[in-house]
């Protein structure tokens, strides 16, 4: 990575989280101007966002006002003093947005997913020092997200931000996109210098979930929020259910609790250190216990092998899971957690025993987890 330029260096007077507000799409001169002025009046936003070219999943929905709207957005920026941001999906968009004087560009989730487009955009940005925000790809693929950040960085972009907007999921949920916060935490672990902000609106999908998602993002120490804001959300041409009014935006930001990243208070530090030491020793014990458990599992594997008995013993697994969930309840452990934990442990037991039962051919393949298969097929 070339040297990253912290957000504080390119957003004037930034002291807390970076706040981005504005409509999903620019719909008319009036909509942009009024929304921008109302957002500015809250005093809580740094950047005004609006989609000009909207990548819609199905044809026929509102696809943005195109180039003409760039000048509306640029004018709204000049009048309010807010920085402006627009989504770009190819080199033509980059050229037009920069020419119109847009301050910040972002890559949408449907662009990050495609390295050809990311590379084309990166190439078009060589020689500029425009800030670029990279949304996560629609699929829960951390490597694609990191890859896009790297491509832009290699093109000389140092003002880079990652935007977490959730992932498409097959399992149904009330949220529009599955947050998979663990992927964001892993991004922060692998690229600690890249600031990550949360696009709360595209995770929530509905106004009612916005406060809790926004608070959670801040509690995970993300460095900012993007909130779709429209002067008449109910009339919005896209994403109407998740947009809020400038007044609601003002209340939302006011109510959020911005906690500090760390505390130097001596009592806090010593107490937490003591508790963490205790956790460390419990974890070490847990690993020793698990190792002992898997040694027994392997002995059972030898018996299954010599008696030519199937790997899976459904009755035993069903009874075992019921028993562990029941004990978990008496210990006040969450049922879903206990079930997942023992599914994970049982899977590892099956993997170990399969190596014993099928040592003469590639015993790993049939048992590869979805995650391992994904990683193995990475190119
Ligand atoms: C948007 O920001 O309006 C948008 C299209 O988002 P995403 O790329 O996250 O779907
Ligand atoms: Mn949107």
């Amino acid at each position: 990575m070339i040297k990253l330029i912290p957000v504080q260096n390119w957003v004037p007077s930034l002291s807390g989280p970076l706040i981005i507000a504005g409509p999903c799409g620019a719909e008319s001169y009036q909509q942009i101007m009024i929304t921008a002025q109302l957002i500015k009046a809250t005093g809580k936003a740094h950047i005004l966002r609006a989609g000009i070219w909207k990548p819609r999943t199905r044809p026929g929905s509102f696809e943005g006002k195109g180039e003409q709207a760039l000048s509306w957005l640029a004018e709204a920026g000049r009048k309010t003093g807010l920085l402006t941001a627009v989504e770009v999906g190819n080199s033509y968009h980059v050229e037009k947005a920069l020419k119109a004087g847009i301050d910040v560009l972002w890559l949408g989730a449907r662009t990050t997913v495609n390295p050809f487009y990311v590379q084309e955009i990166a190439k078009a940005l060589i020689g500029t020092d425009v800030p670029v925000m990279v949304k996560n790809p629609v699929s829960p693929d951390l490597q694609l997200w990191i890859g896009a950040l790297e491509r832009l960085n290699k093109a000389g972009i140092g003002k880079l931000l990652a935007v977490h907007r959730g992932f498409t999921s097959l399992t149904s949920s009330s949220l529009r996109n599955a947050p998979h916060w663990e992927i964001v935490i892993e991004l922060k672990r692998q690229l600690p210098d890249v600031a990550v902000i949360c696009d709360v609106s595209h995770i929530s999908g509905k106004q009612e979930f916005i406060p809790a998602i926004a608070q959670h993002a801040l509690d995970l120490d993300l460095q900012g929020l993007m909130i779709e804001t429209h002067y008449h959300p109910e009339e919005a041409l896209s994403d109407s259910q998740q947009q809020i009014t400038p007044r609601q935006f003002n209340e939302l930001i006011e109510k959020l609790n911005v906690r500090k990243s760390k505390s130097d208070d001596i009592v806090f530090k010593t107490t937490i250190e003591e508790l963490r030491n205790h956790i460390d020793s419990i974890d070490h014990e847990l690993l020793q216990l698990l190792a002992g458990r898997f040694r027994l599992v392997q002995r059972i594997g030898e018996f299954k092998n010599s008696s030519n008995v199937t790997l899976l013993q459904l009755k035993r697994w069903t009874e075992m899971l019921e028993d562990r969930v029941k004990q978990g309840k008496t210990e006040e452990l969450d049922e879903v957690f206990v079930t997942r934990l023992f599914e994970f442990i049982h899977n590892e037991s099956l993997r170990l025993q399969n190596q014993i039962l099928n040592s003469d051919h590639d015993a790993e393949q049939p048992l590869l987890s979805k995650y391992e298969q994904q990683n193995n097929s990475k190119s």
Side-chain angles (χ1 to χ4, degrees):
M1 280 262 169
I2 69 157
K3 209 171 151 26
L4 291 166
I5 301 164
V7 195
Q8 289 77 1
N9 293 19
W10 54 269
V11 178
S13 73
L14 182 70
S15 52
L18 175 73
I19 305 292
I20 303 175
C24 176
E27 299 167 358
S28 67
Y29 178 79
Q30 168 179 295
Q31 173 241 19
I32 283 291
M33 287 304 162
I34 299 179
T35 306
Q37 271 153 4
L38 292 172
I39 287 172
K40 173 65 185 182
T42 67
K44 295 191 169 64
H46 308 99
I47 301 181
L48 174 69
R49 65 148 279 159
I52 300 287
W53 299 281
K54 303 291 305 167
R56 307 313 301 279
T57 305
R58 304 275 303 270
S61 355
F62 174 61
E63 298 200 319
K65 288 285 181 185
E67 264 168 80
Q68 56 172 332
L70 284 173
S71 59
W72 307 339
L73 186 59
E75 188 180 326
R78 282 193 303 275
K79 289 211 167 124
T80 56
L82 293 167
L83 294 172
T84 51
V86 82
E87 173 174 353
V88 290
N90 56 39
S91 53
Y92 178 81
H93 295 167
V94 171
E95 186 198 319
K96 293 292 168 190
L98 293 182
K99 216 167 174 183
I102 303 298
D103 303 296
V104 179
L105 307 180
W106 88 78
L107 272 62
R110 293 161 196 77
T111 302
T112 309
V113 85
N114 185 337
F116 286 141
Y117 278 113
V118 176
Q119 193 56 46
E120 177 186 319
I121 292 168
K123 199 170 156 215
L125 287 167
I126 291 174
T128 72
D129 74 339
V130 64
V132 182
M133 310 191 284
V134 182
K135 293 226 195 172
N136 64 256
V138 278
S139 50
D141 187 335
L142 177 59
Q143 296 311 316
L144 265 179
W145 198 3
I146 292 180
L149 289 160
E150 283 172 345
R151 283 178 199 277
L152 290 157
N153 190 247
K154 277 195 175 151
I157 299 298
K159 297 170 185 167
L160 266 183
L161 279 182
V163 184
H164 170 229
R165 51 76 80 194
F167 303 87
T168 302
S169 165
L170 285 178
T171 46
S172 70
S173 144
S174 4
L175 297 175
R176 176 172 174 186
N177 287 303
H180 285 299
W181 298 105
E182 72 284 1
I183 296 180
V184 184
I185 295 170
E186 185 55 19
L187 175 75
K188 278 163 76 79
R189 203 179 66 82
Q190 290 195 29
L191 298 180
D193 295 334
V194 175
V196 188
I197 68 166
C198 181
D199 171 351
V200 179
S201 310
H202 288 87
I203 293 177
S204 304
K206 288 214 177 81
Q207 290 186 351
E208 63 193 278
F209 303 125
I210 290 176
I213 299 288
Q215 185 61 55
H216 193 62
L218 294 183
D219 288 344
L220 291 183
D221 213 9
L222 300 199
Q223 279 130 299
L225 303 172
M226 182 188 276
I227 313 281
E228 284 190 339
T229 310
H230 190 294
Y231 75 149
H232 288 313
E234 63 289 351
E235 287 169 17
L237 299 179
S238 57
D239 291 352
S240 109
Q241 289 193 25
Q242 70 192 28
Q243 302 205 56
I244 57 175
T245 62
R247 183 193 291 261
Q248 288 171 308
F249 163 75
N250 187 43
E251 275 167 26
L252 169 79
I253 305 294
E254 219 146 66
K255 282 194 188 145
L256 288 172
N257 185 357
V258 184
R259 298 178 163 94
K260 45 190 182 295
S261 297
K262 55 185 174 88
S263 167
D264 290 327
D265 179 78
I266 192 75
V267 178
F268 173 83
K269 280 170 90 169
T270 48
T271 313
I272 220 159
E273 193 182 314
E274 211 175 287
L275 293 169
R276 282 179 176 161
N277 286 340
H278 200 161
I279 284 183
D280 288 348
S281 57
I282 291 181
D283 284 352
H284 296 154
E285 261 178 70
L286 271 176
L287 288 172
Q288 280 170 0
L289 287 171
L290 279 171
R293 188 189 193 284
F294 288 126
R295 281 193 289 274
L296 293 172
V297 160
Q298 280 170 310
R299 280 180 56 193
I300 292 179
E302 304 287 356
F303 273 116
K304 283 181 181 168
N305 194 27
S306 56
S307 312
N308 213 20
V309 163
T310 54
L311 184 62
L312 179 65
Q313 296 292 311
L314 190 59
K315 189 162 171 286
R316 162 71 181 157
W317 165 233
T318 309
E319 287 167 1
M320 193 183 110
L321 187 60
E322 268 170 23
D323 173 78
R324 305 307 186 258
V325 167
K326 199 165 142 205
Q327 196 204 336
K329 277 186 185 155
T330 68
E331 304 283 355
E332 290 179 26
L333 291 170
D334 181 79
E335 182 174 342
V336 175
F337 166 72
V338 174
T339 306
R340 294 239 171 96
L341 176 66
F342 276 92
E343 279 170 354
F344 203 60
I345 291 176
H346 184 239
N347 225 20
E348 176 64 0
S349 303
L350 291 178
R351 191 186 69 81
L352 290 170
Q353 291 186 346
N354 193 50
Q355 283 179 336
I356 298 167
L357 265 67
N358 293 298
S359 55
D360 51 342
H361 46 86
D362 189 355
E364 289 289 328
Q365 284 306 324
L367 282 164
L368 281 182
S369 70
K370 231 172 129 190
Y371 180 71
E372 288 164 319
Q373 279 172 7
Q374 256 177 23
N375 274 347
N376 284 357
S377 66
K378 278 280 128 57
S379 50

